[in-house]
Every structure is written in C-alpha cells, then in structure tokens.
Amino acid sequence: MTTRGDTTFPAHLVRPDLRDFAGYSSARTSAPTGLPDRIWLNANESGVASSADDAGGSRRYPDPQPPALVEAFADLWATTPDRVVVGRGSDEAIELLVRSLCRPGGDGVVVTSPTFGMYAVSARLHGVPVIDVPQTDDELRWRVDTAAVARAVRDKGARLVFLASPGNPTGSVVPLREIAALTEELADQAVVVVDEAYGEFAAQRSAITLLEEHPTLVVLRTLSKAHALAGARVGIALAHPDLVAVLRRVQAPYPLPAPVTELALRALSEEVLHATRQHVGDVLRLRDQVGRWLRDLDGVRTVYASEANFFLVRCDDPDALLHTLGAAGIVVRDMRHLPGLHDALRITIGTGPEMSALREALTSARPAPTTEETPA
C-alpha cells in the first residue's frame, strides 16, 4: 500500500516491456514546432481537397490528441489537460488500459458481473485472465463487494479492476467512499477503473473528484449517452499524467477524425451543455414515472433501482414480453446471457411518446377479463 498523500503513479504497474516504449511517431507528433508551416509535405496527404469535401477539412491527418478538445474536456471536469486521453469511445480506453498494464498470460483483470462485457472481451483479446467477483442482489439494487474485489486482486495477482458506476446493466452505483478505500488499498498492485458512462444520470458526484488524491484511479466518460453522440464514438479516460502519457504512446495514430472532433467541440459548448443538462433532467423525471408503472405490471417481478437511463427488469416470461414488444415494433435488450440474469431485460428510457408506446404495448397484452371478472 502506498502512503496517504503520495501522488506519484507507480511505474511498476506499467507492463515492463512498455515502460520505455516510445510508440509510433506520426507526422503530426514529429513535426517541428515554432516554425511558420506553410507547405506540408511530410505526411503523404493529398495536395488537393476531395470532391466530397470541398472545404478540405479532412484532407490532412488530425491531431492525435486535439488540443482544443482535450482542454474542453479538462474544463468540463475541472482538471488539467495532462490528465485527459480522448479516443474512440470508452471501448478504446478500456483496451488501452489492458494493453498498457497487463502482461499477456499474466496479470489479471477483475470484473464484477453482471457488468459491461467489453472489460472481459478486451482482456481475453490480449490473453489476460479474467477474474469475476459477482455482485450481490438484494432485489432492490445490485452491490459490488469491494472487500471481495480486494481479496481477488491479492490472491490472483490482478493488475486492473473495472467498476461500472452506474453499472450496466444494473443501474447501481459504487459508493465513492468504497472506491476511494479500494483504490488506496490496492495502490501498490492494481489500477482501479471507474466507468462512468452513465454518470450524468447519477445523484452521486463523479469519482473524478478523487483523482488528485489517488494516482492509481482512472475514470472513464463518454459522449455516447447523456450527450447523445453515440454515433460519433467519443470517449475519454481521466488519469494521472504519467499514466496518460503511457496510454497516449500505445494508442493508434489519429484516433478521432477531424469532423468528429468538431462535433464534440460543439457538444461541449456552453449552449449545448445547457441543453444537455435539461435533457438529463427530462430523462430523470421520465425514469421515475416509468419505474412506477413498470412495477405495477403483471408478470414483472423486479424493477431494480436505477441511477442510469435504463431499468433492469426481471419478469415471469421474458420470451412472451419480448414477443409482445417485438410485435409493436419495440426493441429492448435481452440480458439473459449474463450470469445471474436468466429472466432479465434492460429497457432504455426513450422519449415521452416512446415510453407511452411501451406502456400501451405492455398493458394491452394483458389477457381480457372473463365475464365473471368483468365489473358490474
């Protein structure tokens, strides 16, 4: 365990063969600075714009880490640009962390099922063992046993811990005090990653507030959910500057296309952020309404408390419910492939009219009352 107040990132947590790895030196990262660049002949780009891109905005390779976007994210989360890595959604950040910290066939990754599947997928693609510490279900919410996570890290020699908070598909958060205690306890052995893809919908403050005191903590955020830019694929990792430098070195060149960067910058403007906050408020109000009537439906046994923009629902007959919704043109997520969720579906909070259509489909599917049941 590191001593409290130690704010350096322990270099021994980086894969030994990557500690001195310089990465690929692209035309943008190796270009000279301080000179009046007028004619660029260093990247084998086209000398003229495409007919599909009259303005030529995509003729040049983009910055690997666009400074304006990095600074916008840093401002949004009240941190510094050297703590930010931008990439192709949170999925790329997950992959970069596994690649940078875990030796293939050696250091393990701890997950807490049921959880987001990409943690295990990335680990397995890199030949890294996956250690599962299942969450507990009290029929109201799911809970991560952080003490059991710590034991698993020690016993199995894991190097990474992934905690989704709010969880997907559980909708539950991991309390900040438990995140802080776990990170501190494991600081000499493992990096703790808190995936806050749904953080805008949660009442709990962000784990980003813990970064300064915990150099082995990483927080993931995305523009895919509350910011409504899933198709743009923009995610970020916020971490200690030393770890950020490692992640940037192992990242493939030019992760964000120039048009995507422009779109992301517009999304982070004050005007659009204001609209996003209003949208989040609308989702939260609608989530409360939907939760109330979902719990009253016949055949629905459990609707878990949610701090995300969805509900995890257990039902008596998932196949029948899926058939009913499919006939109405409504698609929800079948979660029965995940451990412990043999009867569960995940339902996203859409628009008001979409939720009305969902309710109508579910209520109209109830059997008609018999003559004896019909009120006089």
Side-chain angles (χ1 to χ4, degrees):
M1 182 186 300
T2 59
T3 59
R4 180 179 291 274
D6 185 356
T7 57
T8 60
F9 181 80
H12 72 271
L13 295 185
V14 178
R15 256 176 55 182
D17 56 319
L18 294 181
R19 290 171 193 167
D20 297 322
F21 179 65
Y24 174 71
S25 180
S26 71
R28 291 293 169 266
T29 57
S30 61
T33 59
L35 299 176
D37 299 331
R38 295 187 301 110
I39 301 175
W40 287 10
L41 304 176
N42 66 332
N44 301 333
E45 301 150 323
S46 172
V48 297
S50 166
S51 298
D53 177 34
D54 291 339
S58 295
R59 180 165 67 90
R60 300 291 186 188
Y61 286 111
D63 283 308
Q65 292 288 303
L69 184 57
V70 169
E71 290 174 11
F73 275 124
D75 289 345
L76 179 64
W77 298 114
T79 187
T80 53
D82 60 353
R83 288 183 173 272
V84 178
V85 180
V86 299
R88 305 172 185 89
S90 298
D91 295 340
E92 184 179 29
I94 293 165
E95 196 274 339
L96 291 176
L97 286 160
V98 175
R99 184 194 303 175
S100 301
L101 302 178
C102 300
R103 295 168 297 172
D107 311 303
V109 165
V110 172
V111 301
T112 59
S113 65
T115 192
F116 184 43
M118 282 306 298
Y119 312 139
V121 168
S122 292
R124 286 171 178 146
L125 287 174
H126 284 277
V128 174
V130 177
I131 304 146
D132 187 13
V133 181
Q135 298 182 46
T136 58
D137 169 17
D138 65 7
E139 299 186 357
L140 174 62
R141 59 176 52 86
W142 293 79
R143 300 181 188 277
V144 172
D145 186 343
T146 53
V149 167
R151 289 194 298 272
V153 169
R154 296 294 190 195
D155 294 345
K156 303 294 185 179
R159 185 56 55 89
L160 263 177
V161 175
F162 284 104
L163 303 175
S165 181
N168 175 17
T170 65
S172 299
V173 298
V174 184
L176 280 186
R177 64 182 181 279
E178 295 184 20
I179 292 172
L182 178 67
T183 305
E184 185 170 341
E185 180 176 352
L186 299 177
D188 63 333
Q189 183 170 341
V191 169
V192 175
V193 183
V194 181
D195 188 344
E196 293 185 341
Y198 302 91
E200 287 86 354
F201 303 103
Q204 177 172 272
R205 63 189 173 94
S206 172
I208 293 170
T209 58
L210 303 175
L211 286 176
E212 291 286 344
E213 296 181 2
H214 299 279
T216 55
L217 178 67
V218 177
V219 181
L220 307 183
R221 303 291 297 217
T222 180
L223 297 187
S224 294
K225 310 302 181 183
H227 296 269
L229 291 180
R233 307 304 299 125
V234 181
I236 60 169
L238 297 118
H240 189 280
D242 292 348
L243 179 55
V244 165
V246 172
L247 298 179
R248 290 180 177 180
R249 289 198 297 268
V250 303
Q251 189 176 32
Y254 318 120
L256 289 187
V260 170
T261 295
E262 294 171 5
L263 180 60
L265 283 169
R266 292 198 296 274
L268 297 179
S269 68
E270 190 51 46
E271 179 182 3
V272 177
L273 284 174
H274 177 71
T276 297
R277 295 183 189 105
Q278 288 185 318
H279 162 67
V280 168
D282 293 340
V283 170
L284 296 181
R285 286 185 288 272
L286 192 54
R287 185 185 70 187
D288 292 342
Q289 297 170 15
V290 171
R292 285 193 293 270
W293 60 255
L294 270 178
R295 291 183 175 91
D296 290 336
L297 290 177
D298 291 339
V300 171
R301 294 203 317 278
T302 306
V303 179
Y304 290 96
S306 176
E307 294 211 38
N309 67 333
F310 58 80
F311 282 111
L312 181 65
V313 178
R314 289 193 186 273
C315 42
D316 292 334
D317 192 344
D319 285 319
L321 192 150
L322 287 169
H323 176 77
T324 295
L325 295 179
I330 300 172
V331 182
V332 298
R333 188 67 178 264
D334 189 345
M335 304 307 300
R336 290 177 291 174
H337 61 288
L338 292 182
L341 297 181
H342 64 281
D343 56 359
L345 307 175
R346 192 190 68 197
I347 302 174
T348 302
I349 304 300
T351 65
E354 287 172 339
M355 295 298 94
S356 296
L358 174 73
R359 184 176 189 178
E360 181 179 355
L362 291 174
T363 54
S364 63
R366 293 179 178 178
T370 63
T371 304
E372 290 79 7
E373 295 172 333
T374 304

